[in-house]
Amino acid sequence: MQKKTVLVTGGAGFIGSHVSVELINAGYDLVVADDLSNCDMTNFEGLKQITGRDDIPFHQMTFCDEAATEKLFSENKIDAVIHFAAFKAVGESCAEPLKYYGNNLKSLINVLESARRHGCRNILFSSSCTVYGEPEKTPVTEQTPRQPATSPYGNTKQISEDILRDSVKAYGNIRGIALRYFNPIGAHPTALMGELPRGVPNNLVPYITQTAIGKRECLSVFGNDYPTPDGTNLRDYIDIVDLAKAHVCAVRRMIDDKMEADYEIFNVGTGKPASVLDLVNAFEKVSGEKLNWKFAPRRAGDVIAIWADPSLANEKLGWKAGRTIEDSLLAAWNWEKKLAR
Ligand code: UD1
């Protein structure tokens, strides 16, 4: 049977590069595109090395460029698209909403238009648990009502889900899956790919590893008086390789005609909550390093506690998270040490 080709937009980024490895391992051909606005080619080089494939097509382009998007689809036979390309900094989105609405929505619309025009039926969208806001009940299922977004970034995820849902319904020639990720962490076990935050990291794990390596003075743990067992926020930290594998299952479900509706949503999480202090302690254990950290005031906009009920993905995608936070933190630490060399 002829190999199927998957277009990975944002494929040089943290999540896109890990997904690309798993897609190649699963026997798919790839077309990778990225505008490199928030990463360099490090992870793409890692992808080539891990897979031993020197022939993966790479296009430096933005999907906000309608003509370039159209050209990519006319020059490649694409069977499925995974659309990662988007801006993702919550704070920046509050300062520059038009940058976020412009980029994140325009690129999705262009991808959908070109996909439709060129007979590519299958669209996988990378959404986020941010769409649940501060949930009334945890864990959250896909049926848990979405809350009004607390940032323009979060709003682009909600609007993008709606754009995909409405387009699938109206046009009939495309179908979609939205994967709602919880908190992706870790790095590739080879230490050839990982997170490459620009400037001061916003996210917890890169901040932890950068502090341990000496790039940052001290980790601030934001808030110690939340109504949680140890007073710090609870999240569902999901290993990046586990997360990547969920994409392969979702792509397969679309390409193999196994979807039960033309638009489906799945939570991608472990189902296990962990606190900020759990991460700090687990990091110290696996790295053998003493982490310099202190409590600091709550960070504006932080949700108190959220974790996934991943049963739907477990059942319908045949996917389950297998790695522990210790596994992920060790991989992230090895990646940080490699960057320092
Ligand atoms: C954030 C976004 C989420 C987005 C995701 C993308 C918010 C409210 N949510 O998730 O929408 O999809 O990033 O990466 O911004 N923490 C510290 N010290 C630090 C950094 C983080 O204590 O230096 C704590 C936070 O308070 C939080 C936890 O670590 O409790 C995780 O934070 P982070 O990694 O930034 O992810 P989220 O805020 O959950």
Side-chain angles (χ1 to χ4, degrees), residues 87-90 93 100 104 128 130 151-158:
F87 294 149
K88 59 165 193 180
V90 175
S93 80
Y100 275 69
N104 292 7
S128 163
T130 191
S151 70
Y153 158 77
N155 209 14
T156 68
K157 290 296 178 196
Q158 296 205 356

Side-chain angles (χ1 to χ4, degrees), residues 310-329:
S311 328
L312 194 68
N314 297 163
E315 185 195 332
K316 303 286 184 190
L317 297 180
W319 168 89
K320 202 169 183 344
R323 280 160 219 254
T324 62
I325 54 172
E326 283 81 7
D327 298 332
S328 310
L329 289 166

Side-chain angles (χ1 to χ4, degrees), residues 201-313:
N202 293 308
N203 298 117
L204 179 60
V205 170
Y207 210 104
I208 289 178
T209 57
Q210 289 197 8
T211 304
I213 207 99
K215 275 194 212 166
R216 311 274 154 213
E217 186 79 22
C218 180
L219 169 77
S220 293
V221 173
F222 299 134
N224 64 353
D225 56 354
Y226 285 105
T228 59
D230 67 14
T232 67
N233 292 143
L234 296 175
R235 294 286 184 275
D236 187 333
Y237 295 96
I238 164 96
D239 184 81
I240 187 68
V241 176
D242 280 339
L243 179 85
K245 287 181 175 162
H247 291 74
V248 176
C249 299
V251 163
R252 196 176 285 136
R253 183 173 173 90
M254 290 198 282
I255 288 182
D256 293 352
D257 271 331
K258 295 280 166 52
M259 289 175 71
E260 291 168 23
D262 286 336
Y263 176 60
E264 295 181 327
I265 300 171
F266 297 101
N267 284 341
V268 183
T270 65
K272 296 186 195 99
S275 74
V276 179
L277 292 184
D278 288 337
L279 259 79
V280 168
N281 293 332
F283 176 79
E284 289 189 335
K285 188 172 119 204
V286 297
S287 68
E289 301 286 325
K290 183 89 199 71
L291 192 70
N292 192 20
W293 68 271
K294 63 172 192 306
F295 284 122
R298 292 181 175 195
R299 181 172 71 176
D302 270 341
V303 161
I304 300 167
I306 185 164
W307 67 95
D309 177 342
S311 328
L312 194 68

Side-chain angles (χ1 to χ4, degrees), residues 7-12 31-39 41 57-76 78 81 83-87 103 106-107 110-111 114:
L7 167 62
V8 185
T9 83
V31 174
V32 175
D34 202 301
D35 67 359
L36 302 180
S37 63
N38 198 31
C39 65
M41 290 294 273
F58 179 82
H59 301 265
Q60 185 175 352
M61 57 169 287
T62 166
F63 289 88
C64 292
D65 182 337
E66 203 178 325
T69 306
E70 188 54 23
K71 185 159 176 279
L72 191 72
F73 274 86
S74 52
E75 289 175 354
N76 296 277
I78 311 283
V81 186
H83 184 53
F84 293 109
F87 294 149
N103 182 69
K106 209 180 294 165
S107 61
N110 287 342
V111 165
S114 291

Side-chain angles (χ1 to χ4, degrees), residues 105-116:
L105 302 182
K106 209 180 294 165
S107 61
L108 174 65
I109 292 166
N110 287 342
V111 165
L112 292 175
E113 288 284 17
S114 291
R116 272 177 3 91

Side-chain angles (χ1 to χ4, degrees), residues 108-126:
L108 174 65
I109 292 166
N110 287 342
V111 165
L112 292 175
E113 288 284 17
S114 291
R116 272 177 3 91
R117 216 171 279 135
H118 294 278
C120 167
R121 292 194 65 189
N122 305 306
I123 319 286
L124 200 165
F125 176 67
S126 77

